Amino acid sequence: MNLCADPALNRTISALPDWVQTQSQALQTELAQREAELKRGEVKIQQLTFELAHHKRIRFGAKSEAFSSEQRDLFVDAADEDGPATAAELAQRQESGSAPRRPKPTGRKLLSPELPRIEHRHESASCSCGQCGRDLVLIGEDISEQLDVEPARFFVHRHIRPQYACRSCETVTAAPVMPSLIDGGLVAPGLHAWVLIQK
């Protein structure tokens, strides 16, 4: 609000002493700054309210892929433009009689050759034919692969510290014992880390 816009008020202010006019001008400037700050605060509150509503809709809204009414109306004009072109393309394909070719499926992708393999041979119970009794001859192999994981493999670290004695001074020397997480414990740091990760 500009107080200087009123001519009668301007005449009254100009009749006042200079220090009053200076103070009045300072107060008007401070008032304008506070109004601008209040406006910025209101805009920020409105922005944060919209952002919060958006995040609530993402987090707690319907999980389906259904379009809202605004999204459905978004492409209404474009659908009318594409209609004749689509109809012409369908008519052309029907006339030529060729359907779009799909690539033939190649089956499953092979597992990476870098992965270690453990072979399990499943031999027949007998090396002779079950009907005529003659020896069987190898003609090929049917190989199938499955991916497996070993989540935890337990093993034991054996720490061997030889002890040496000096015959002349009668002292015993050995390598120092490495500190562990729990004094005298049977669990290595790797197992501690694994247990913590599993929790």
Side-chain angles (χ1 to χ4, degrees), residues 84-126:
T86 306
E89 185 177 344
L90 284 174
Q92 181 183 7
R93 285 191 180 179
Q94 286 176 352
E95 288 173 5
S96 65
S98 65
R101 294 183 182 177
R102 292 184 181 167
K104 292 183 180 180
T106 59
R108 289 190 181 140
K109 291 184 179 178
L110 296 176
L111 296 173
S112 173
E114 289 84 25
L115 291 172
R117 260 73 172 164
I118 300 172
E119 289 190 0
H120 304 279
R121 286 203 163 272
H122 304 281
E123 298 287 344
S124 299
S126 172

Side-chain angles (χ1 to χ4, degrees), residues 19-95:
W19 66 272
V20 174
Q21 290 180 11
T22 305
Q23 190 174 13
S24 172
Q25 188 66 28
L27 289 174
Q28 286 180 6
T29 306
E30 184 180 347
L31 180 63
Q33 288 174 351
R34 288 192 180 183
E35 283 180 353
E37 187 177 329
L38 182 63
K39 184 73 172 172
R40 281 193 303 271
E42 288 173 355
V43 169
K44 185 67 174 176
I45 288 171
Q46 187 177 14
Q47 176 189 1
L48 291 175
T49 304
F50 285 141
E51 189 174 329
L52 179 63
H54 174 71
H55 287 295
K56 281 184 178 179
R57 190 167 50 251
I58 289 173
R59 173 94 190 239
F60 302 112
K63 301 293 187 214
S64 68
E65 294 294 326
F67 289 116
S68 66
S69 60
E70 294 86 17
Q71 289 172 327
R72 279 193 299 271
D73 296 341
L74 187 62
F75 298 106
V76 169
D77 298 335
D80 294 339
E81 294 171 2
D82 293 340
T86 306
E89 185 177 344
L90 284 174
Q92 181 183 7
R93 285 191 180 179
Q94 286 176 352
E95 288 173 5

Side-chain angles (χ1 to χ4, degrees), residues 105-181:
T106 59
R108 289 190 181 140
K109 291 184 179 178
L110 296 176
L111 296 173
S112 173
E114 289 84 25
L115 291 172
R117 260 73 172 164
I118 300 172
E119 289 190 0
H120 304 279
R121 286 203 163 272
H122 304 281
E123 298 287 344
S124 299
S126 172
C127 291
S128 58
C129 180
Q131 298 197 6
C132 68
R134 291 192 180 170
D135 288 338
L136 298 175
V137 178
L138 180 66
I139 59 169
E141 293 178 334
D142 179 28
I143 300 173
S144 63
E145 293 184 337
Q146 293 177 326
L147 184 63
D148 199 359
V149 65
E150 190 176 281
R153 185 173 62 95
F154 294 95
F155 54 93
V156 177
H157 291 286
R158 263 185 106 192
H159 300 281
I160 301 169
R161 291 179 186 82
Q163 296 179 346
Y164 298 99
C166 177
R167 288 191 177 153
S168 62
C169 62
E170 297 181 355
T171 57
V172 177
T173 306
V177 176
M178 298 296 294
S180 62
L181 295 174

